[in-house]
Amino acid sequence: MTPVPGRAPRTAALLLPAGVAAAHLGPAATWLPAVRLPLFPGLAGTGHPRHIALTFDDGPDPRSTPRFLDALDGLGVRATFFVLGERVVRHPEVVRETAERGHEVAVHGWNHDRPWRPAPARDAAEVARAARAVHDVTGRPPRWYRPPYGILTGGRWAAARRAGLRTVLWSAWGRDWTADATPESVRATVAAGLRGGGTILLHDSDRHAAPDSWRAALGALPAIVAGCREAGLVVGPLGEHGGVPVAGVTVP
């Protein structure tokens, strides 16, 4: 789930010395599209203008993730799955199958907690632990990191760098974690924010979202992929995304 940050970060910041609060929560401003997209295109997942990176958060989930894998097979698309370390060790078979089907497995942290107070040592340990879990199960070192809720703190940015991971957020999402999400609402929300070179955020699990909300994302996949292809865009994982500035291709 990726909700809008509320009062919690501001409250946490008031309880910390100014310098510590700025170093810890300052990078979280990149959650805002108006900050991230123009100023930090690499963090926003900006890639080759004829490519779209398709990504999923919050898995693995033995109930829903295999359905996404089947749907992606049917569409002939590979994607990047940002997984939680605690879920990897509980469901290694799902992660292993994800990798065996040709998808990238990336790090979403060890769990899905909110990082309002600084804990750099814990951040470093948990990101490294999650990266090791992915490596142990897939046999491949992960390349990417996306913090839970998309909230990038100073500690988590440093932790990802120390673990050899590149942090990537997104440029378009489907708001697919909400109780009222539908396949059409997810498709329309993605299309409204997506341009060539963009990175899509969806969720393959409802563990941190409204019950069964993953069904809206799953139902939207064929239309999202079709819209990209009609615009002349290739859909794939972050590893095939490149790093060329956006050229302004709009997805219908």
Side-chain angles (χ1 to χ4, degrees):
M1 185 172 90
T2 312
V4 177
R7 296 180 179 177
R10 294 195 294 273
T11 302
L14 290 174
L15 299 176
L16 299 172
V20 174
H24 175 61
L25 291 175
T30 58
W31 189 93
L32 299 168
V35 174
R36 181 175 70 253
L37 294 174
L39 300 180
F40 302 97
L43 186 61
T46 299
H48 192 283
R50 289 290 173 182
H51 190 269
I52 296 295
L54 179 61
T55 71
F56 298 90
D57 284 8
D58 292 0
D61 189 321
R63 186 168 68 105
S64 53
T65 301
R67 299 183 184 227
F68 283 84
L69 300 180
D70 289 343
L72 291 168
D73 275 353
L75 294 166
V77 170
R78 299 295 172 260
T80 301
F81 287 79
F82 286 87
V83 297
L84 295 164
E86 66 174 4
R87 304 285 295 166
V88 172
V89 299
R90 291 181 186 179
H91 305 291
E93 71 287 350
V94 181
V95 179
R96 192 173 297 112
E97 181 181 2
T98 300
E100 289 174 350
R101 293 211 200 183
H103 304 285
E104 288 184 326
V105 182
V107 175
H108 197 35
W110 183 255
N111 52 34
H112 210 277
D113 61 343
R114 290 179 172 86
W116 300 141
R117 295 193 63 83
R122 185 193 66 189
D123 290 338
E126 290 190 348
V127 170
R129 185 183 181 190
R132 286 195 302 271
V134 170
H135 193 178
D136 289 347
V137 171
T138 67
R140 305 169 192 168
R143 298 174 59 186
W144 317 102
Y145 170 69
R146 176 179 291 153
Y149 302 100
I151 301 171
L152 181 63
T153 63
R156 290 186 171 183
W157 178 80
R161 284 179 59 87
R162 182 176 296 181
L165 304 173
R166 175 181 166 184
T167 302
V168 179
L169 299 182
W170 63 88
S171 56
W173 63 7
R175 294 190 64 85
D176 54 326
W177 63 87
T178 63
D180 59 351
T182 66
E184 175 53 28
S185 76
V186 172
R187 183 211 64 78
T189 304
V190 167
L194 190 61
R195 302 293 182 270
T199 291
I200 299 172
L201 163 64
L202 296 172
H203 297 78
D204 62 306
S205 172
D206 61 2
R207 289 281 299 180
H208 303 282
D212 284 338
S213 55
W214 58 267
R215 296 182 185 277
L218 182 65
L221 270 181
I224 290 172
V225 171
C228 290
R229 287 172 171 166
E230 288 170 8
L233 303 170
V234 176
V235 181
L238 281 166
E240 299 174 0
H241 200 39
V244 181
V246 170
V249 179
T250 302
V251 177

